[in-house]
Amino acid sequence: MDRLERFYRIHHLMQAGKCLPLGDFMTDMEVSKATIKRDIEYMRDRLNAPLVYDRDREGYRYEKGIAGAERFDLPGVWFSPTEIHALMVVHALLGNIGPGLLDGTVKPVIGRIENLLEDHRLPAEEIAKRIRVLNVSHRPALPEHFATAAQATIQRQRLKLLHYHRGEDRRLEREVSPQRLIHYRGNWYLDGWCHLRDGLRSFSLDAVEQCHLLETAPCEQVSFEILDSFFASAYGIFTGEATAKAVLRFNAKRARWVSKEVWHPEQIGTFESNGSYRLEFPFGESAELIMDILKHGAAVEVLEPEALRDQISHELKEMGKQYSQTRRT
């Protein structure tokens, strides 16, 4: 019986409500006293098993009075190689979720994952060297604002925000009933009911300059069906219902990448006879879509709608003007 099998056996015996002396463990699993003591210590110290020694009954048992004991399980015991590698990726993602964000919650989780991985001879230091998660162009939110927004979202409390509107270069105080937090392209957003505008809005948390709980004011409740309809039907992070359908054509070379990408949950993609790739999906606000189209340069053409073609054409002309003028020193 190997070590993981012994962990499983000990867990099974303890779940059955038994209280066993070391001798019974040794006989059951045919191991030495030193081995079973090491197993018990490892389960207690590294896997957080609620194992205690009952002096009155002279044996080991699970302590039901310990917080979380009723829900205790051994998640690492049954991990396959694929699941172990998935844990490695999760470890890397949690470590890059953002400096200070969710520290009180994430750090214990990371510690548990590291313990499980090290038991499979995958040291955390080596994982950090071999797996990287890069947050390019992300805008960090203040940890205290994130913590307050997260608390309000989970506990259904209203927030008072001072929000900087970059597009209009002005600040506004808002009372918001938070509905959910979104992590999108490396940045955090708060979807909520804005009591100033009397409607749903999305706020970038890095643009929040003040954030306070309003414990006396009730939190407006919005169903998930309405939230999904409002926030998920359009393209990207911008809100509102989709009002048009974008039709894009990527050349055969770029199609090798784009055909594997998900631009929208309702997209339709088809290959054409010359190898080009036609992509269709609904959208509302065009700002983010234009940025995503432009990054593909001449490898993409907007077929529909005409208004989107005109916007792209105008943007390209304005860009061209900057490069056609005499270069400034």
Side-chain angles (χ1 to χ4, degrees), residues 173-190:
E173 281 194 348
R174 309 277 193 117
E175 284 195 17
V176 177
S177 289
Q179 303 300 316
R180 58 187 174 190
L181 287 166
I182 305 293
H183 190 249
Y184 177 73
R185 294 190 175 185
N187 298 304
W188 285 98
Y189 297 85
L190 176 68

Side-chain angles (χ1 to χ4, degrees), residues 264-329:
H264 191 279
E266 299 176 17
Q267 71 183 40
I268 299 174
T270 54
F271 279 97
E272 299 183 332
S273 58
N274 63 354
S276 61
Y277 185 70
R278 182 184 175 100
L279 184 63
E280 305 177 22
F281 52 85
F283 76 100
E285 169 64 50
S286 62
E288 185 177 1
L289 176 56
I290 289 173
M291 290 188 289
D292 285 341
I293 292 172
L294 289 174
K295 74 180 182 182
H296 290 279
V300 62
E301 178 188 1
V302 176
L303 303 180
E304 298 177 23
E306 195 65 32
L308 183 59
R309 281 182 64 94
D310 292 342
Q311 286 178 293
I312 294 289
S313 177
H314 174 75
E315 192 71 24
L316 291 172
K317 288 176 182 177
E318 292 300 308
M319 290 171 63
K321 288 179 183 179
Q322 295 185 117
Y323 292 95
S324 61
Q325 296 173 355
T326 302
R327 185 174 182 181
R328 299 175 182 175
T329 57

